[in-house]
Amino acid sequence: MKAAKPKAQGEEGLRQSMSWLHTWAGLIFGWVLFAMFLTGSLAFFRPEITRWMQPEIQVQPGPAVQAVETAQRYLNENAADAKRWFITPPSDREPLIQLLYQTPKPKPGERGFVRVKLDPATGQAVTGRQTRGGDFFYRFHFELETAFPWGRWLASIAGMFMLVAIISGIITHKKIFTDFFTFRPKKGGQRAWMDGHNVLSVLGLPFHLMITFSGLVLFMVMLMPAGIQAVYDTPRQYTDDVFKAFKVTPPLNQPAPLVAIAPLVEQAQQHWQGRVGRVTVNNPGDAGATITLTRDEADGVSYGRLAPYMRFDGVTGALQEGSDERSATVVTAGAITGLHLGLFAEPLLRWLYFLVSLAGTGMVATGLVLWIAKRRQKARPGDAREAFSLRLVDGLNAGTIAGVVFGVAAVFLANRLLPAEMPGRQVWEVRAFFSAWGLSLVYAFLFQRRKWQDLLAVAAAALALVPVVNALTTHRHLGVSLPEGDWVMAGFDLTCLASAVLFGWMARKAAKASKAPAKTPGKARPQRNEAVKAAVAAAASPVVQTPAVTAATQRTVLEPRGDMP
């Protein structure tokens, strides 16, 4: 039998240092990352969430050419003097025609943009209850509901810590792929949490690396502006050069009628053999008007922010410029951002995105709980500072992991319970989210021993109430949506029920953990063997134990586990 190969000099030191880095990089921003991962997972279904939150709107999508013709007619009648028009034709996910136009004389401090949604069949403006819908989760994911640009900076810093935690975790766990097939939930405690953390980490490891790195690339202009500032005099010059479809063309201040847009849309769709995703009109009614058509971002992976475009003269309809053949650099940059946004994903792939992203959310959550499980085992009796840190982190864990989920459910419940005509109701939906999260944090610190089981049970109950309240307040409940095949409404309610079952099971496990007596280690650690032998020998002899031996035996006592599952 061959002798074991000796480890290289410093190998163990690298893994140990990476373990330390992995632990603290994941903990410092762990609570922010959990909220970002969860809301980012929901953002993959942003249009569907918005449709559920406006149940009174029931329309069917129409052809893009006809929709653009309807939109131009409406804008000519209601926004002929606007500086810019933005028209988004309907799609299967967003069946309404979406209009945005900029008024010529906005109020001081305002940009003067007006948003309108049209029914493709009638051309009439559609108004539903005021709500931010899925856009709230989408923007919270990268702005954390704080003022620009501080929220984006905080999200970017948290993302950098996440990337460091993932890479250091890969280096630390030399048997990471073997551990993926090892899951022992019945062992409980640290071992079960470690197995769960490993499984969730390896399950979506390529996705987690991609989503974290691409998220940082999306903010590259903000994070690393030195190269741009060295080449361009102003940020607008950079935007116009790189994102040509967004270029703002100047007016000639000479009135001239705008050409019909619908034939240009038909021409572009035939050229691309694909869909038009957005129409931008600069200076409508002016001789310097331009019409820019951008291909639908969902037509290709690399179309996330750099989709092909065609720009036409707004008076004659002549093609001015376009972009079909793109460089390898542009395709690569577009693919990185496109993979993060996931706009290209069809329903099955979108659900896979959602589930693997939820696995990332679970990875962060189990990592936070694992920190407590490890420190609690090593806790020294009588150390007040260590006891305080354990209570602090455990309270933040319970208040955030259960509290953010409770907050998400609170948004949906507020959407149904607040009066539909209530002014500013979208603000109160957001306040419901932060109120639920804040109350959960307060409860977690006031009721230390019951916090996990109670907060998880509240989150489960709130999620289960969502389809119930939906059935009591609207006519688009499971009894109607399932027979009609309305999978947006039915899928939303069923997902809430499935999530309620999951969190109910977690609450039950937490309740059992709170009643179970604290466990002592099954095996003595190698470094303690001598101390244990000495303690046994001392017990068998009349010699009085020395303080060193007594201290060694006392260190094997563990702190109570509390109600952590």
mmCIF file with all atom_site columns, all heavy atoms in Angstrom, residues 281-304:
data_model
loop_
_atom_site.group_PDB
_atom_site.id
_atom_site.type_symbol
_atom_site.label_atom_id
_atom_site.label_alt_id
_atom_site.label_comp_id
_atom_site.label_asym_id
_atom_site.label_entity_id
_atom_site.label_seq_id
_atom_site.pdbx_PDB_ins_code
_atom_site.Cartn_x
_atom_site.Cartn_y
_atom_site.Cartn_z
_atom_site.occupancy
_atom_site.B_iso_or_equiv
_atom_site.pdbx_formal_charge
_atom_site.auth_seq_id
_atom_site.auth_comp_id
_atom_site.auth_asym_id
_atom_site.auth_atom_id
_atom_site.pdbx_PDB_model_num
ATOM 1   N N   . VAL A 1 281 ? -39.120 57.738 -31.267 1.00 0.00 ? 281 VAL A N   1
ATOM 2   C CA  . VAL A 1 281 ? -39.290 58.860 -32.195 1.00 0.00 ? 281 VAL A CA  1
ATOM 3   C C   . VAL A 1 281 ? -38.737 60.109 -31.531 1.00 0.00 ? 281 VAL A C   1
ATOM 4   O O   . VAL A 1 281 ? -39.231 60.540 -30.486 1.00 0.00 ? 281 VAL A O   1
ATOM 5   C CB  . VAL A 1 281 ? -40.767 59.061 -32.574 1.00 0.00 ? 281 VAL A CB  1
ATOM 6   C CG1 . VAL A 1 281 ? -40.900 60.219 -33.568 1.00 0.00 ? 281 VAL A CG1 1
ATOM 7   C CG2 . VAL A 1 281 ? -41.362 57.784 -33.146 1.00 0.00 ? 281 VAL A CG2 1
ATOM 8   N N   . ASN A 1 282 ? -37.707 60.688 -32.123 1.00 0.00 ? 282 ASN A N   1
ATOM 9   C CA  . ASN A 1 282 ? -37.159 61.950 -31.640 1.00 0.00 ? 282 ASN A CA  1
ATOM 10  C C   . ASN A 1 282 ? -37.751 63.104 -32.442 1.00 0.00 ? 282 ASN A C   1
ATOM 11  O O   . ASN A 1 282 ? -37.802 63.053 -33.666 1.00 0.00 ? 282 ASN A O   1
ATOM 12  C CB  . ASN A 1 282 ? -35.633 61.967 -31.796 1.00 0.00 ? 282 ASN A CB  1
ATOM 13  C CG  . ASN A 1 282 ? -34.944 61.054 -30.800 1.00 0.00 ? 282 ASN A CG  1
ATOM 14  O OD1 . ASN A 1 282 ? -35.227 61.083 -29.612 1.00 0.00 ? 282 ASN A OD1 1
ATOM 15  N ND2 . ASN A 1 282 ? -34.044 60.216 -31.296 1.00 0.00 ? 282 ASN A ND2 1
ATOM 16  N N   . ASN A 1 283 ? -38.222 64.119 -31.743 1.00 0.00 ? 283 ASN A N   1
ATOM 17  C CA  . ASN A 1 283 ? -38.734 65.356 -32.352 1.00 0.00 ? 283 ASN A CA  1
ATOM 18  C C   . ASN A 1 283 ? -39.886 65.096 -33.339 1.00 0.00 ? 283 ASN A C   1
ATOM 19  O O   . ASN A 1 283 ? -39.813 65.488 -34.518 1.00 0.00 ? 283 ASN A O   1
ATOM 20  C CB  . ASN A 1 283 ? -37.611 66.092 -33.091 1.00 0.00 ? 283 ASN A CB  1
ATOM 21  C CG  . ASN A 1 283 ? -36.348 66.200 -32.252 1.00 0.00 ? 283 ASN A CG  1
ATOM 22  O OD1 . ASN A 1 283 ? -36.389 66.678 -31.121 1.00 0.00 ? 283 ASN A OD1 1
ATOM 23  N ND2 . ASN A 1 283 ? -35.226 65.733 -32.808 1.00 0.00 ? 283 ASN A ND2 1
ATOM 24  N N   . PRO A 1 284 ? -40.969 64.447 -32.925 1.00 0.00 ? 284 PRO A N   1
ATOM 25  C CA  . PRO A 1 284 ? -42.095 64.244 -33.848 1.00 0.00 ? 284 PRO A CA  1
ATOM 26  C C   . PRO A 1 284 ? -42.687 65.590 -34.282 1.00 0.00 ? 284 PRO A C   1
ATOM 27  O O   . PRO A 1 284 ? -42.812 66.516 -33.478 1.00 0.00 ? 284 PRO A O   1
ATOM 28  C CB  . PRO A 1 284 ? -43.086 63.439 -33.006 1.00 0.00 ? 284 PRO A CB  1
ATOM 29  C CG  . PRO A 1 284 ? -42.723 63.710 -31.585 1.00 0.00 ? 284 PRO A CG  1
ATOM 30  C CD  . PRO A 1 284 ? -41.247 63.906 -31.572 1.00 0.00 ? 284 PRO A CD  1
ATOM 31  N N   . GLY A 1 285 ? -43.036 65.689 -35.550 1.00 0.00 ? 285 GLY A N   1
ATOM 32  C CA  . GLY A 1 285 ? -43.580 66.935 -36.084 1.00 0.00 ? 285 GLY A CA  1
ATOM 33  C C   . GLY A 1 285 ? -42.528 67.939 -36.495 1.00 0.00 ? 285 GLY A C   1
ATOM 34  O O   . GLY A 1 285 ? -42.875 69.057 -36.893 1.00 0.00 ? 285 GLY A O   1
ATOM 35  N N   . ASP A 1 286 ? -41.265 67.560 -36.435 1.00 0.00 ? 286 ASP A N   1
ATOM 36  C CA  . ASP A 1 286 ? -40.174 68.463 -36.798 1.00 0.00 ? 286 ASP A CA  1
ATOM 37  C C   . ASP A 1 286 ? -39.445 67.887 -38.019 1.00 0.00 ? 286 ASP A C   1
ATOM 38  O O   . ASP A 1 286 ? -39.416 66.674 -38.233 1.00 0.00 ? 286 ASP A O   1
ATOM 39  C CB  . ASP A 1 286 ? -39.204 68.615 -35.630 1.00 0.00 ? 286 ASP A CB  1
ATOM 40  C CG  . ASP A 1 286 ? -38.122 69.659 -35.899 1.00 0.00 ? 286 ASP A CG  1
ATOM 41  O OD1 . ASP A 1 286 ? -38.365 70.833 -35.625 1.00 0.00 ? 286 ASP A OD1 1
ATOM 42  O OD2 . ASP A 1 286 ? -37.043 69.262 -36.395 1.00 0.00 ? 286 ASP A OD2 1
ATOM 43  N N   . ALA A 1 287 ? -38.831 68.778 -38.805 1.00 0.00 ? 287 ALA A N   1
ATOM 44  C CA  . ALA A 1 287 ? -38.115 68.322 -39.998 1.00 0.00 ? 287 ALA A CA  1
ATOM 45  C C   . ALA A 1 287 ? -36.900 67.466 -39.644 1.00 0.00 ? 287 ALA A C   1
ATOM 46  O O   . ALA A 1 287 ? -36.407 66.713 -40.486 1.00 0.00 ? 287 ALA A O   1
ATOM 47  C CB  . ALA A 1 287 ? -37.678 69.530 -40.834 1.00 0.00 ? 287 ALA A CB  1
ATOM 48  N N   . GLY A 1 288 ? -36.422 67.580 -38.422 1.00 0.00 ? 288 GLY A N   1
ATOM 49  C CA  . GLY A 1 288 ? -35.283 66.769 -37.987 1.00 0.00 ? 288 GLY A CA  1
ATOM 50  C C   . GLY A 1 288 ? -35.700 65.504 -37.256 1.00 0.00 ? 288 GLY A C   1
ATOM 51  O O   . GLY A 1 288 ? -34.862 64.894 -36.574 1.00 0.00 ? 288 GLY A O   1
ATOM 52  N N   . ALA A 1 289 ? -36.953 65.069 -37.386 1.00 0.00 ? 289 ALA A N   1
ATOM 53  C CA  . ALA A 1 289 ? -37.447 63.878 -36.683 1.00 0.00 ? 289 ALA A CA  1
ATOM 54  C C   . ALA A 1 289 ? -36.733 62.620 -37.166 1.00 0.00 ? 289 ALA A C   1
ATOM 55  O O   . ALA A 1 289 ? -36.406 62.488 -38.353 1.00 0.00 ? 289 ALA A O   1
ATOM 56  C CB  . ALA A 1 289 ? -38.947 63.740 -36.878 1.00 0.00 ? 289 ALA A CB  1
ATOM 57  N N   . THR A 1 290 ? -36.474 61.710 -36.258 1.00 0.00 ? 290 THR A N   1
ATOM 58  C CA  . THR A 1 290 ? -35.910 60.398 -36.591 1.00 0.00 ? 290 THR A CA  1
ATOM 59  C C   . THR A 1 290 ? -36.735 59.317 -35.905 1.00 0.00 ? 290 THR A C   1
ATOM 60  O O   . THR A 1 290 ? -37.293 59.539 -34.818 1.00 0.00 ? 290 THR A O   1
ATOM 61  C CB  . THR A 1 290 ? -34.448 60.269 -36.145 1.00 0.00 ? 290 THR A CB  1
ATOM 62  O OG1 . THR A 1 290 ? -34.365 60.485 -34.732 1.00 0.00 ? 290 THR A OG1 1
ATOM 63  C CG2 . THR A 1 290 ? -33.570 61.273 -36.881 1.00 0.00 ? 290 THR A CG2 1
ATOM 64  N N   . ILE A 1 291 ? -36.796 58.150 -36.547 1.00 0.00 ? 291 ILE A N   1
ATOM 65  C CA  . ILE A 1 291 ? -37.527 56.998 -36.004 1.00 0.00 ? 291 ILE A CA  1
ATOM 66  C C   . ILE A 1 291 ? -36.541 55.841 -35.879 1.00 0.00 ? 291 ILE A C   1
ATOM 67  O O   . ILE A 1 291 ? -35.972 55.395 -36.884 1.00 0.00 ? 291 ILE A O   1
ATOM 68  C CB  . ILE A 1 291 ? -38.710 56.609 -36.911 1.00 0.00 ? 291 ILE A CB  1
ATOM 69  C CG1 . ILE A 1 291 ? -39.668 57.787 -37.069 1.00 0.00 ? 291 ILE A CG1 1
ATOM 70  C CG2 . ILE A 1 291 ? -39.434 55.385 -36.352 1.00 0.00 ? 291 ILE A CG2 1
ATOM 71  C CD1 . ILE A 1 291 ? -40.740 57.560 -38.117 1.00 0.00 ? 291 ILE A CD1 1
ATOM 72  N N   . THR A 1 292 ? -36.325 55.369 -34.669 1.00 0.00 ? 292 THR A N   1
ATOM 73  C CA  . THR A 1 292 ? -35.381 54.283 -34.415 1.00 0.00 ? 292 THR A CA  1
ATOM 74  C C   . THR A 1 292 ? -36.142 53.046 -33.976 1.00 0.00 ? 292 THR A C   1
ATOM 75  O O   . THR A 1 292 ? -36.902 53.098 -33.000 1.00 0.00 ? 292 THR A O   1
ATOM 76  C CB  . THR A 1 292 ? -34.357 54.678 -33.333 1.00 0.00 ? 292 THR A CB  1
ATOM 77  O OG1 . THR A 1 292 ? -33.717 55.903 -33.705 1.00 0.00 ? 292 THR A OG1 1
ATOM 78  C CG2 . THR A 1 292 ? -33.324 53.580 -33.158 1.00 0.00 ? 292 THR A CG2 1
ATOM 79  N N   . LEU A 1 293 ? -35.945 51.960 -34.697 1.00 0.00 ? 293 LEU A N   1
ATOM 80  C CA  . LEU A 1 293 ? -36.562 50.677 -34.356 1.00 0.00 ? 293 LEU A CA  1
ATOM 81  C C   . LEU A 1 293 ? -35.492 49.758 -33.800 1.00 0.00 ? 293 LEU A C   1
ATOM 82  O O   . LEU A 1 293 ? -34.428 49.597 -34.400 1.00 0.00 ? 293 LEU A O   1
ATOM 83  C CB  . LEU A 1 293 ? -37.202 50.037 -35.594 1.00 0.00 ? 293 LEU A CB  1
ATOM 84  C CG  . LEU A 1 293 ? -38.140 50.927 -36.432 1.00 0.00 ? 293 LEU A CG  1
ATOM 85  C CD1 . LEU A 1 293 ? -38.715 50.126 -37.593 1.00 0.00 ? 293 LEU A CD1 1
ATOM 86  C CD2 . LEU A 1 293 ? -39.260 51.481 -35.559 1.00 0.00 ? 293 LEU A CD2 1
ATOM 87  N N   . THR A 1 294 ? -35.759 49.166 -32.652 1.00 0.00 ? 294 THR A N   1
ATOM 88  C CA  . THR A 1 294 ? -34.819 48.254 -32.001 1.00 0.00 ? 294 THR A CA  1
ATOM 89  C C   . THR A 1 294 ? -35.420 46.860 -31.964 1.00 0.00 ? 294 THR A C   1
ATOM 90  O O   . THR A 1 294 ? -36.605 46.700 -31.641 1.00 0.00 ? 294 THR A O   1
ATOM 91  C CB  . THR A 1 294 ? -34.506 48.718 -30.565 1.00 0.00 ? 294 THR A CB  1
ATOM 92  O OG1 . THR A 1 294 ? -34.102 50.081 -30.582 1.00 0.00 ? 294 THR A OG1 1
ATOM 93  C CG2 . THR A 1 294 ? -33.414 47.870 -29.952 1.00 0.00 ? 294 THR A CG2 1
ATOM 94  N N   . ARG A 1 295 ? -34.624 45.879 -32.291 1.00 0.00 ? 295 ARG A N   1
ATOM 95  C CA  . ARG A 1 295 ? -35.118 44.499 -32.295 1.00 0.00 ? 295 ARG A CA  1
ATOM 96  C C   . ARG A 1 295 ? -35.461 44.052 -30.876 1.00 0.00 ? 295 ARG A C   1
ATOM 97  O O   . ARG A 1 295 ? -34.845 44.492 -29.896 1.00 0.00 ? 295 ARG A O   1
ATOM 98  C CB  . ARG A 1 295 ? -34.068 43.564 -32.892 1.00 0.00 ? 295 ARG A CB  1
ATOM 99  C CG  . ARG A 1 295 ? -34.586 42.146 -33.120 1.00 0.00 ? 295 ARG A CG  1
ATOM 100 C CD  . ARG A 1 295 ? -33.663 41.330 -33.991 1.00 0.00 ? 295 ARG A CD  1
ATOM 101 N NE  . ARG A 1 295 ? -34.185 39.986 -34.196 1.00 0.00 ? 295 ARG A NE  1
ATOM 102 C CZ  . ARG A 1 295 ? -33.621 39.068 -34.961 1.00 0.00 ? 295 ARG A CZ  1
ATOM 103 N NH1 . ARG A 1 295 ? -32.503 39.355 -35.613 1.00 0.00 ? 295 ARG A NH1 1
ATOM 104 N NH2 . ARG A 1 295 ? -34.154 37.869 -35.091 1.00 0.00 ? 295 ARG A NH2 1
ATOM 105 N N   . ASP A 1 296 ? -36.436 43.183 -30.767 1.00 0.00 ? 296 ASP A N   1
ATOM 106 C CA  . ASP A 1 296 ? -36.881 42.689 -29.472 1.00 0.00 ? 296 ASP A CA  1
ATOM 107 C C   . ASP A 1 296 ? -35.713 42.025 -28.741 1.00 0.00 ? 296 ASP A C   1
ATOM 108 O O   . ASP A 1 296 ? -35.029 41.163 -29.289 1.00 0.00 ? 296 ASP A O   1
ATOM 109 C CB  . ASP A 1 296 ? -38.022 41.682 -29.656 1.00 0.00 ? 296 ASP A CB  1
ATOM 110 C CG  . ASP A 1 296 ? -38.764 41.417 -28.362 1.00 0.00 ? 296 ASP A CG  1
ATOM 111 O OD1 . ASP A 1 296 ? -38.159 41.537 -27.285 1.00 0.00 ? 296 ASP A OD1 1
ATOM 112 O OD2 . ASP A 1 296 ? -39.961 41.068 -28.420 1.00 0.00 ? 296 ASP A OD2 1
ATOM 113 N N   . GLU A 1 297 ? -35.498 42.430 -27.486 1.00 0.00 ? 297 GLU A N   1
ATOM 114 C CA  . GLU A 1 297 ? -34.397 41.892 -26.696 1.00 0.00 ? 297 GLU A CA  1
ATOM 115 C C   . GLU A 1 297 ? -34.538 40.396 -26.464 1.00 0.00 ? 297 GLU A C   1
ATOM 116 O O   . GLU A 1 297 ? -33.549 39.697 -26.206 1.00 0.00 ? 297 GLU A O   1
ATOM 117 C CB  . GLU A 1 297 ? -34.319 42.625 -25.351 1.00 0.00 ? 297 GLU A CB  1
ATOM 118 C CG  . GLU A 1 297 ? -33.983 44.109 -25.476 1.00 0.00 ? 297 GLU A CG  1
ATOM 119 C CD  . GLU A 1 297 ? -34.111 44.839 -24.167 1.00 0.00 ? 297 GLU A CD  1
ATOM 120 O OE1 . GLU A 1 297 ? -34.843 44.331 -23.281 1.00 0.00 ? 297 GLU A OE1 1
ATOM 121 O OE2 . GLU A 1 297 ? -33.498 45.907 -24.004 1.00 0.00 ? 297 GLU A OE2 1
ATOM 122 N N   . ALA A 1 298 ? -35.771 39.884 -26.515 1.00 0.00 ? 298 ALA A N   1
ATOM 123 C CA  . ALA A 1 298 ? -35.997 38.462 -26.271 1.00 0.00 ? 298 ALA A CA  1
ATOM 124 C C   . ALA A 1 298 ? -35.673 37.595 -27.485 1.00 0.00 ? 298 ALA A C   1
ATOM 125 O O   . ALA A 1 298 ? -35.744 36.366 -27.404 1.00 0.00 ? 298 ALA A O   1
ATOM 126 C CB  . ALA A 1 298 ? -37.456 38.233 -25.858 1.00 0.00 ? 298 ALA A CB  1
ATOM 127 N N   . ASP A 1 299 ? -35.298 38.211 -28.622 1.00 0.00 ? 299 ASP A N   1
ATOM 128 C CA  . ASP A 1 299 ? -34.993 37.438 -29.833 1.00 0.00 ? 299 ASP A CA  1
ATOM 129 C C   . ASP A 1 299 ? -33.623 36.774 -29.793 1.00 0.00 ? 299 ASP A C   1
ATOM 130 O O   . ASP A 1 299 ? -33.340 35.893 -30.606 1.00 0.00 ? 299 ASP A O   1
ATOM 131 C CB  . ASP A 1 299 ? -35.079 38.341 -31.076 1.00 0.00 ? 299 ASP A CB  1
ATOM 132 C CG  . ASP A 1 299 ? -36.511 38.444 -31.585 1.00 0.00 ? 299 ASP A CG  1
ATOM 133 O OD1 . ASP A 1 299 ? -37.391 37.788 -31.008 1.00 0.00 ? 299 ASP A OD1 1
ATOM 134 O OD2 . ASP A 1 299 ? -36.736 39.182 -32.556 1.00 0.00 ? 299 ASP A OD2 1
ATOM 135 N N   . GLY A 1 300 ? -32.749 37.206 -28.895 1.00 0.00 ? 300 GLY A N   1
ATOM 136 C CA  . GLY A 1 300 ? -31.402 36.632 -28.842 1.00 0.00 ? 300 GLY A CA  1
ATOM 137 C C   . GLY A 1 300 ? -30.777 36.828 -27.485 1.00 0.00 ? 300 GLY A C   1
ATOM 138 O O   . GLY A 1 300 ? -31.106 37.778 -26.755 1.00 0.00 ? 300 GLY A O   1
ATOM 139 N N   . VAL A 1 301 ? -29.847 35.941 -27.138 1.00 0.00 ? 301 VAL A N   1
ATOM 140 C CA  . VAL A 1 301 ? -29.177 36.030 -25.844 1.00 0.00 ? 301 VAL A CA  1
ATOM 141 C C   . VAL A 1 301 ? -28.390 37.327 -25.732 1.00 0.00 ? 301 VAL A C   1
ATOM 142 O O   . VAL A 1 301 ? -28.394 37.988 -24.694 1.00 0.00 ? 301 VAL A O   1
ATOM 143 C CB  . VAL A 1 301 ? -28.246 34.816 -25.645 1.00 0.00 ? 301 VAL A CB  1
ATOM 144 C CG1 . VAL A 1 301 ? -27.478 34.943 -24.332 1.00 0.00 ? 301 VAL A CG1 1
ATOM 145 C CG2 . VAL A 1 301 ? -29.039 33.519 -25.671 1.00 0.00 ? 301 VAL A CG2 1
ATOM 146 N N   . SER A 1 302 ? -27.701 37.726 -26.785 1.00 0.00 ? 302 SER A N   1
ATOM 147 C CA  . SER A 1 302 ? -26.811 38.884 -26.731 1.00 0.00 ? 302 SER A CA  1
ATOM 148 C C   . SER A 1 302 ? -27.521 40.202 -27.024 1.00 0.00 ? 302 SER A C   1
ATOM 149 O O   . SER A 1 302 ? -26.854 41.216 -27.240 1.00 0.00 ? 302 SER A O   1
ATOM 150 C CB  . SER A 1 302 ? -25.656 38.707 -27.728 1.00 0.00 ? 302 SER A CB  1
ATOM 151 O OG  . SER A 1 302 ? -26.155 38.652 -29.057 1.00 0.00 ? 302 SER A OG  1
ATOM 152 N N   . TYR A 1 303 ? -28.857 40.208 -27.022 1.00 0.00 ? 303 TYR A N   1
ATOM 153 C CA  . TYR A 1 303 ? -29.582 41.439 -27.319 1.00 0.00 ? 303 TYR A CA  1
ATOM 154 C C   . TYR A 1 303 ? -29.982 42.201 -26.058 1.00 0.00 ? 303 TYR A C   1
ATOM 155 O O   . TYR A 1 303 ? -30.780 43.129 -26.116 1.00 0.00 ? 303 TYR A O   1
ATOM 156 C CB  . TYR A 1 303 ? -30.856 41.134 -28.121 1.00 0.00 ? 303 TYR A CB  1
ATOM 157 C CG  . TYR A 1 303 ? -30.599 40.586 -29.508 1.00 0.00 ? 303 TYR A CG  1
ATOM 158 C CD1 . TYR A 1 303 ? -31.617 40.014 -30.249 1.00 0.00 ? 303 TYR A CD1 1
ATOM 159 C CD2 . TYR A 1 303 ? -29.333 40.640 -30.077 1.00 0.00 ? 303 TYR A CD2 1
ATOM 160 C CE1 . TYR A 1 303 ? -31.381 39.503 -31.523 1.00 0.00 ? 303 TYR A CE1 1
ATOM 161 C CE2 . TYR A 1 303 ? -29.084 40.139 -31.332 1.00 0.00 ? 303 TYR A CE2 1
ATOM 162 C CZ  . TYR A 1 303 ? -30.116 39.569 -32.053 1.00 0.00 ? 303 TYR A CZ  1
ATOM 163 O OH  . TYR A 1 303 ? -29.876 39.067 -33.298 1.00 0.00 ? 303 TYR A OH  1
ATOM 164 N N   . GLY A 1 304 ? -29.431 41.800 -24.895 1.00 0.00 ? 304 GLY A N   1
ATOM 165 C CA  . GLY A 1 304 ? -29.854 42.394 -23.636 1.00 0.00 ? 304 GLY A CA  1
ATOM 166 C C   . GLY A 1 304 ? -29.870 43.910 -23.641 1.00 0.00 ? 304 GLY A C   1
ATOM 167 O O   . GLY A 1 304 ? -30.856 44.529 -23.289 1.00 0.00 ? 304 GLY A O   1
#
